[in-house]
Amino acid sequence: MFEVLVYLYENYWRPDACPDHVQLTRKLSAVGFESDEIQEALVWLDGLAEAAQTYTGEQSEASMRVYSPAELDRLGPDSVAFVSFLESAGVLPPSMREMVIDRASAVGESPLALEDLKVIVLMVFWSLGEEPDALILDELFVAPEERLIH
């Protein structure tokens, strides 16, 4: 599913640029994605679209997130730490954080791989028509061992 999401991010600059599900399914199949992978991604994207419609961005910046044991199990320590990093860097406001947690909870894997969480963060920005700044994009796309140290 995550490969499909990355493909959509790279090929459609915003969600409303994507064709309808039928046409998109055909395009994704033609590119080589498996049917079950496509359907899983489309269901996940429907949930993302729902979350984006209710996004207000009005939560207090001073709010503190306490994770339930089920959320901690689902996300895993690396993903929770990464979400905290993005919050402390000021690029993931509380309401976007909740979208990330909601969409991460919609994935069947436990704990969620950090690379998969990064795709989810990217897709949350994409769904809201926002682009993260260059440093955050670097953090989301480039593996730490591939970074150049200046």
Side-chain angles (χ1 to χ4, degrees):
M1 173 185 86
F2 289 101
E3 292 82 14
V4 173
L5 297 177
V6 170
Y7 178 85
L8 293 176
Y9 181 84
E10 291 175 344
N11 289 282
Y12 297 97
W13 55 289
R14 58 178 211 261
D16 60 350
C18 287
D20 64 58
H21 280 4
V22 173
Q23 199 174 17
L24 185 57
T25 298
R26 273 191 298 238
K27 285 185 177 203
L28 292 170
S29 291
V31 174
F33 291 108
E34 297 293 325
S35 171
D36 58 334
E37 188 177 28
I38 295 168
Q39 290 311 310
E40 185 180 358
L42 293 178
V43 168
W44 190 90
L45 282 170
D46 287 342
L48 180 62
E50 245 178 68
Q53 286 177 346
T54 61
Y55 175 76
T56 63
E58 294 178 13
Q59 252 181 316
S60 167
E61 294 300 317
S63 70
M64 184 176 88
R65 180 63 154 88
V66 177
Y67 293 90
S68 73
E71 289 171 332
L72 289 172
D73 288 343
R74 176 67 58 140
L75 293 171
D78 291 341
S79 293
V80 170
F82 188 72
V83 168
S84 295
F85 160 72
L86 293 176
E87 284 184 278
S88 67
V91 297
L92 192 67
S95 50
M96 284 179 75
R97 174 198 63 216
E98 293 306 310
M99 286 179 67
V100 168
I101 293 168
D102 173 69
R103 294 292 74 215
S105 297
V107 176
E109 302 169 25
S110 270
L112 186 65
L114 181 58
E115 294 308 309
D116 294 343
L117 178 80
K118 289 179 177 184
V119 172
I120 291 171
V121 170
L122 203 57
M123 295 307 291
V124 166
F125 276 96
W126 180 77
S127 73
L128 298 172
E130 297 181 23
E131 180 150 340
D133 67 29
L135 291 175
I136 296 304
L137 275 175
D138 183 53
E139 189 66 39
L140 293 172
F141 273 124
V142 179
E145 62 274 3
E146 295 176 11
R147 289 198 178 104
L148 295 176
I149 299 175
H150 300 286

